[in-house]
Amino acid sequence: MIKRTIFISSPMKLYVEHECLKLENLDSGDKHQIPLIDIGIIELDHHTILLNNYLLKKAAELGIVIINCNDYHNPVGIFSPLFTNTLHTKVLKMQFKMKKPLKNQIWKELIKSKIENQAALLEYFGKDYGLVAQLAKEVRSNDNTKREGVAASYYWKYLLGLDFKRERYGKPPNAFLNYGYTLIRSTITRALVSSGLHPSVGVHHKNQYNHYCLADDLIEPFRIFCDKLVYENIDEFGQKEELTKEDKIKLLEVINTETTIEDKVYPLQLAVKETVVSYLRSIENNKVELKLPKLWR
């Protein structure tokens, strides 16, 4: 089932009544409601938004992710459920028991898929893609030859030009890429928790201060769908340092971008579920059985 992403950027009171999210505008008094079962993500982007602990409790029970933004409209926090799957303890034990060879092979496949998708996107936009495509063929176990970094240097140069440098706090359109990646990351986190997987137990990412290591592993093949949306709107996004409400609404489209897995078309949020389930199956069977997304043309 495709879930809705709710974006709130005005003074609002949020509460739960009769299994619905109630939204009351604090300026106009207008009221709306949305069934909780239909919601996947709620984004809070205003300093005057009121909500209570019962809403957080219901969000956790139903697997709803809540994103909070700072005064610059950038995501700074994610509230995600921990235990929405009855087999969480069993799955968590399997995560901790994963052997290094399996982790290395999974990371290899994630990076290979990421670079293949980068090459496909360059080709889609009529850019030089041959070198990036070749680098995908050279990825080894655990990407120990660092093909990901080499491919990235060429990919961004070919896609956005010699002057662009991919940095979290870099020049435009970095802020737009950051925001789109956050949306995808949140979607992956929600799918992980729903499957009983703990998002902090990663394959390659291991930062002790990162609660979403596994989400940051699995996002790699999905990044190009944000890149595609940003590039398609580059004339509008290209010179802006900060995102407007309209920009963020436009970027929300990334969640339902169409992609393919094994020649079947999925909106991205359902493709994420396919990938997460295949990751869980890989752990259970102790072999790589990943289903990863490809650019749909």
Side-chain angles (χ1 to χ4, degrees):
M1 176 181 177
I2 296 177
K3 299 286 186 175
R4 295 177 62 179
T5 298
I6 309 302
F7 175 64
I8 301 171
S9 61
S10 56
M12 198 78 65
K13 178 181 178 181
L14 310 181
Y15 58 99
V16 175
E17 189 175 278
H18 304 306
E19 297 302 311
C20 288
L21 173 66
K22 300 282 188 171
L23 302 97
E24 180 179 344
N25 191 297
L26 295 176
D27 288 336
S28 66
D30 291 342
K31 296 181 180 180
H32 303 278
Q33 68 177 36
I34 304 168
L36 286 171
I37 195 67
D38 293 342
I39 302 172
I41 298 173
I42 301 172
E43 179 168 350
L44 310 177
D45 189 17
H46 196 279
H47 62 277
T48 308
I49 296 176
L50 308 178
L51 66 161
N52 58 25
N53 189 57
Y54 185 63
L55 172 56
L56 297 178
K57 174 179 174 292
K58 294 298 293 184
E61 289 175 353
L62 295 172
I64 298 170
V65 172
I66 299 177
I67 302 173
N68 205 348
C69 297
N70 61 17
D71 291 340
Y72 299 98
H73 312 289
N74 295 317
V76 291
I78 299 175
F79 172 82
S80 64
L82 288 179
F83 312 113
T84 61
N85 186 290
T86 56
L87 297 177
H88 175 76
T89 301
K90 176 185 175 182
V91 174
L92 185 60
K93 288 179 180 179
M94 290 193 297
Q95 283 184 266
F96 280 119
K97 289 181 179 179
M98 282 182 71
K99 302 297 184 183
K100 190 173 182 179
L102 178 60
K103 291 183 178 182
N104 289 347
Q105 288 302 310
I106 286 175
W107 185 243
K108 171 191 173 182
E109 292 304 316
L110 289 170
I111 295 307
K112 180 181 177 183
S113 176
K114 174 183 182 178
I115 299 174
E116 287 175 342
N117 282 343
Q118 288 176 332
L121 188 63
L122 291 173
E123 182 183 12
Y124 179 84
F125 286 124
K127 309 285 186 177
D128 188 352
Y129 69 94
L131 181 56
V132 177
Q134 177 58 38
L135 287 167
K137 300 175 183 178
E138 299 174 3
V139 179
R140 300 293 180 260
S141 176
N142 199 37
D143 188 28
N144 55 22
T145 57
K146 310 299 181 186
R147 298 296 90 183
E148 180 188 17
V150 177
S153 65
Y154 289 105
Y155 170 70
W156 292 116
K157 177 178 73 173
Y158 294 147
L159 185 66
L160 293 175
L162 292 173
D163 294 334
F164 177 76
K165 187 174 182 181
R166 173 66 190 131
E167 296 176 315
R168 183 174 182 181
Y169 301 108
K171 296 180 180 180
N174 273 291
F176 294 83
L177 294 168
N178 295 341
Y179 182 74
Y181 294 156
T182 297
L183 292 173
I184 299 173
R185 187 192 199 211
S186 301
T187 302
I188 293 172
T189 298
R190 183 178 184 279
L192 289 171
V193 173
S194 298
S195 299
L197 291 156
H198 201 295
S200 69
V201 184
V203 173
H204 180 78
H205 291 86
K206 300 175 182 178
N207 189 325
Q208 63 179 328
Y209 303 110
N210 182 2
H211 300 294
Y212 303 99
C213 291
L214 184 54
D216 289 340
D217 290 328
L218 297 183
I219 195 177
E220 298 299 355
F222 288 94
R223 289 183 184 274
I224 60 109
F225 300 102
C226 171
D227 302 345
K228 180 175 182 290
L229 183 58
V230 170
Y231 186 83
E232 287 173 338
N233 293 275
I234 197 66
D235 290 341
E236 183 178 351
F237 295 163
Q239 302 305 315
K240 293 182 182 178
E241 296 286 348
E242 297 182 13
L243 285 71
T244 65
K245 175 182 176 180
E246 291 71 27
D247 294 334
K248 298 182 85 169
I249 291 172
K250 172 77 72 175
L251 285 166
L252 285 172
E253 296 173 9
V254 73
I255 302 303
N256 291 312
T257 298
E258 290 186 318
T259 179
T260 62
I261 294 180
E262 297 182 345
D263 298 323
K264 186 175 180 180
V265 179
Y266 296 88
L268 186 141
Q269 62 174 292
L270 296 186
V272 161
K273 291 183 179 180
E274 290 291 314
T275 295
V276 167
V277 169
S278 72
Y279 175 76
L280 179 55
R281 189 180 304 116
S282 297
I283 297 175
E284 292 173 332
N285 298 332
N286 195 35
K287 63 179 181 179
V288 181
E289 298 184 16
L290 291 178
K291 292 185 177 182
L292 300 174
K294 292 185 181 296
L295 183 68
W296 184 59
R297 309 187 191 209

